[in-house]
Amino acid sequence: MLDRPFLRDRLSRPLSALRAFLDSSASGGLVLMGAAALALIVANSPLAPAYFGALHTYLGPLSLEHWINDGLMAVFFLLVGLEIKREMLDGRLATWPHRLLPGLAAAGGMAVPAAIYVALNAGNPQALGGWAIPSATDIAFALGVMSLLGSRVPVSLKVFLAALAILDDLGAVVIIAVFYTAGLSMPDLALAAAVVAVLAVMNRFGVVRLAPYLLLGVALWFFVLRSGVHATIAGVLLALTIPLHPTPGRPEDVESPLHRLEHALHLPVAFLVVPIFGFANAGVSLAGLGAEALLDEVTLGVALGLALGKLVGVFGAAALVIRLRWADLPMGATWPQLLGTSLLCGIGFTMSLFIALLAFPGAPALQDEAKIGILAGSLVAGLAGYAVLRVAPREIPAPDDPSRRRAH
């Protein structure tokens, strides 16, 4: 039997930000859709020269585009890192049984799209650099589409999708750090490592004020930017050092520094950072593009990887895990609903665009081809996922089985 102090401790912990995350991501996804659509309209209107000119305007040492992609997106990756740390240590992914279904589904959803892309671009060494573009899932977009379906989708599937996307983001961070890093500056890398060490020491000795962590985070971002590793990785490294537990010796502080920062960042990231990134990078001029543009190997590889590869990888891996009885179908969900959710995983907008920029530096033509593939594949996946979830039969709990009425 649980002792009362332990029970009080468990009950006094701040509720997981997952529900708030689902809500803000869903509504933020709708804002992101609007930003992407606006970018396409502007890029194909008389405002196009001003749009592209503004992005290439230098503000200090970096262009506006670089400030957005290297600076503002570091805040996005900071939130991603906070989500990963909290869920892995104290949330829905804290135990291996809970990690198994979304983890293997995420792995399948990254491997199959990459394989499709490589198969279609095997003869082009330069294009092969984009193999990771269709491997990402955009949680904001996917949950935004799910939110349009209301109660037709059980909460357990939203939790499954969020957990899968968190692990997908972890894989994307590793891919960016390992495969899209070149020309390392060892002195700057050493300075960045020193800042991380100081942050870790602060965590170890119980520093819970956020201001010192954030100030050192700015220094960390500067050194990582100069080191050759992509600057956004600084956001993840900073997140891993933010304390997860409440203030020692102060039981009235039920929220940890990590929870406070995570909650503070959700709305700015969902409604400002990601839409700005989407608006700055989704603008592709379609002038002169015919149907043949969709059949280009890069475009086709990305589009098929997202629309088909994600479906096969996510649903196939999840079905295998469930059939082997390693995990159960999410509570209250049906197989058609899992199929529709797997389709929504093919919406790869934000992270896919980000990887496309890293994969083809200095090759705007390939970047545009990849962007067209991302937009086309994400659109098909989103519409197909919505349609399947719209008509998918819902599980009806048996009257004599009250346990089926419980939701995860």
Side-chain angles (χ1 to χ4, degrees), residues 8 51 61 135 178 203 284 314 345 359 368:
R8 282 199 304 269
Y51 169 78
S135 65
V178 174
N203 181 307
V284 180
V314 172
C345 291
D368 284 348

Side-chain angles (χ1 to χ4, degrees), residues 226-244:
R226 299 205 320 178
S227 72
V229 178
H230 199 272
T232 51
I233 298 299
V236 178
L237 294 175
L238 174 61
L240 298 180
T241 67
I242 303 294
L244 179 60

Side-chain angles (χ1 to χ4, degrees), residues 390-405:
R390 182 79 180 175
V391 302
R394 289 179 280 180
E395 183 183 76
I396 301 176
D400 59 343
D401 186 10
S403 65
R404 295 301 291 170
R405 299 191 186 101

Side-chain angles (χ1 to χ4, degrees), residues 146 151-154 157 332-342 388-389 392-395:
M146 259 193 180
S151 61
R152 288 180 175 273
V153 181
L157 274 182
T334 63
W335 283 103
Q337 287 177 324
L338 182 62
L339 181 70
T341 303
S342 301
V388 170
L389 288 172
R394 289 179 280 180
E395 183 183 76

Side-chain angles (χ1 to χ4, degrees), residues 56 177 241 276 310 332 342 370 384:
H56 294 94
T241 67
I276 288 176
K310 279 288 186 180
S342 301

Side-chain angles (χ1 to χ4, degrees), residues 200-209 213 243 247-248:
V201 169
M202 288 168 52
N203 181 307
R204 178 68 179 82
F205 283 91
V207 177
V208 293
R209 290 184 59 206
Y213 289 96
T247 308

Side-chain angles (χ1 to χ4, degrees), residues 45-227:
S45 74
L47 295 174
Y51 169 78
F52 291 110
L55 289 175
H56 294 94
T57 299
Y58 271 76
L59 302 173
L62 300 175
S63 67
L64 178 60
E65 184 179 28
H66 280 108
W67 278 118
I68 293 171
N69 296 339
D70 293 0
L72 202 58
M73 284 299 283
V75 181
F76 167 78
F77 275 84
L78 171 59
L79 179 59
V80 167
L82 294 172
E83 288 284 349
I84 291 171
K85 179 175 180 177
R86 178 181 52 75
E87 291 294 341
M88 294 292 285
L89 297 182
D90 199 34
R92 301 275 179 174
L93 300 172
T95 63
W96 283 109
H98 287 124
R99 296 170 188 166
L100 192 60
L101 182 60
L104 291 180
M110 297 184 79
V112 176
I116 290 175
Y117 181 92
V118 169
L120 290 172
N121 290 274
N124 188 340
Q126 185 181 16
L128 276 177
W131 63 271
I133 296 171
S135 65
T137 294
D138 191 306
I139 183 64
F141 249 129
L143 286 173
V145 174
M146 259 193 180
S147 72
L148 300 176
L149 294 157
S151 61
R152 288 180 175 273
V153 181
V155 173
S156 62
L157 274 182
K158 296 179 182 178
V159 172
F160 167 75
L161 178 59
L164 184 152
I166 288 169
L167 293 171
D168 191 285
D169 284 343
L170 176 60
V173 169
V174 173
I175 287 172
I176 291 169
V178 174
F179 295 100
Y180 296 113
T181 293
L184 292 178
S185 167
M186 297 313 295
D188 288 303
L189 201 59
L191 289 170
V195 174
V196 173
V198 172
L199 289 165
V201 169
M202 288 168 52
N203 181 307
R204 178 68 179 82
F205 283 91
V207 177
V208 293
R209 290 184 59 206
L210 284 171
Y213 289 96
L214 298 179
L215 288 174
L216 284 172
V218 174
L220 176 62
W221 175 85
F222 175 74
F223 292 129
V224 172
L225 175 67
R226 299 205 320 178
S227 72

Side-chain angles (χ1 to χ4, degrees), residues 270-314:
F271 294 102
L272 186 65
V273 173
V274 174
I276 288 176
F277 172 81
F279 179 74
N281 291 282
V284 180
S285 176
L286 303 179
L289 290 179
E292 67 278 0
L294 292 175
L295 300 178
D296 180 87
E297 287 83 358
V298 172
T299 303
L300 196 60
V302 172
L304 285 179
L306 289 171
L308 178 63
K310 279 288 186 180
L311 170 64
V312 173
V314 172

